[in-house]
């Protein structure tokens, strides 16, 4: 089935140790999003790609970077994770074509723990 | 600053009741309003509303947008325990940004 896959589902890292989260999709959608969701809070958009066009939110910390080497894959790199970066990280995709909207398909998320 | 406000923050009702969840927004470059349901996993998409006054329905769920009042409601009739979830409202703007509200936590008692 076409879907959005995130790996790993659970990631434990140490304070300051770089970590990479991955997202892949078989939907051939042109837009991919990364959200951070902390406990009891709404998902917060970190950045999104419209095709290869990267869009960073103004308040996304510099510690967070992203790569999209091709349509199917997108990575979230956290260069020096702090305790405050512990959260669920959600990847989503959508197909943006005229007359349609961002019906988003979310992956299952990666829960990041920082020790 | 763009914002999306949902009310109530939490709601507990009995199975069979009808609930109405509210969402209001202040977004400069509004394009559409989105509703999601989130259980113990990632949010799932429910509705996208772009035009005012046109109700969207899916089974027992329905939603409508009021662009004059900058608000939307999500109705769930004949609630079931499986409707227990967090319901998220979000606004999609013309810069392709999606701004989420804090959500309404709905709990349905059997």
């Amino acid at each position: 089935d076409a879907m959005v896959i995130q790996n790993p589902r659970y990631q434990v890292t140490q304070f300051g140790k770089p970590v990479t989260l991955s997202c892949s999709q078989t939907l051939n959608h042109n837009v991919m999003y990364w959200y951070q969701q902390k406990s009891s809070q709404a998902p917060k958009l970190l950045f999104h790609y419209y095709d290869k066009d990267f869009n960073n939110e103004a308040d996304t910390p510099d510690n967070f970077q992203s790569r999209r080497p091709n349509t199917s894959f997108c990575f979230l790199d956290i260069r020096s994770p702090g305790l405050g970066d512990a959260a669920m990280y959600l990847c989503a995709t959508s197909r943006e074509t005229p007359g349609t909207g961002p019906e988003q398909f979310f992956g299952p998320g990666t829960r990041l723990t920082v020790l | 600053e763009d914002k999306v406000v949902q009310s109530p923050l939490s709601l507990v009702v009995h199975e069979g009741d009808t609930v109405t969840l509210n969402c209001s927004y202040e977004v400069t470059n509004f394009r559409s309003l989105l509703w999601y349901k989130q259980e113990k996993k990632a949010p799932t998409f429910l509705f996208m509303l772009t035009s005012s006054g046109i109700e969207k329905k899916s089974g027992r769920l329905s939603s409508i947008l009021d662009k004059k009042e900058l608000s939307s409601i999500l109705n769930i009739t004949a609630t079931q325990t499986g409707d227990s979830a967090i319901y998220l409202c979000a606004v999609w703007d013309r810069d392709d940004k999606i701004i989420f509200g804090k959500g309404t936590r709905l709990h349905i008692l059997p």
Side-chain angles (χ1 to χ4, degrees), chain A residues 38-59:
Chain A
K38 296 189 178 180
S39 181
S40 301
Q41 296 182 24
K44 176 181 176 299
L45 182 65
L46 295 173
F47 17 63
H48 75 279
Y49 280 92
Y50 196 117
D51 295 316
K52 284 192 173 287
D53 187 22
F54 176 70
N55 298 274
N56 196 33
E57 292 304 296
D59 56 354

Side-chain angles (χ1 to χ4, degrees), chain B residues 72-88:
Chain B
S72 174
I73 58 171
L74 174 69
N75 279 322
I76 309 175
T77 58
T79 52
Q80 302 169 357
T81 54
D83 295 328
S84 295
I86 297 170
Y87 290 83
L88 293 167

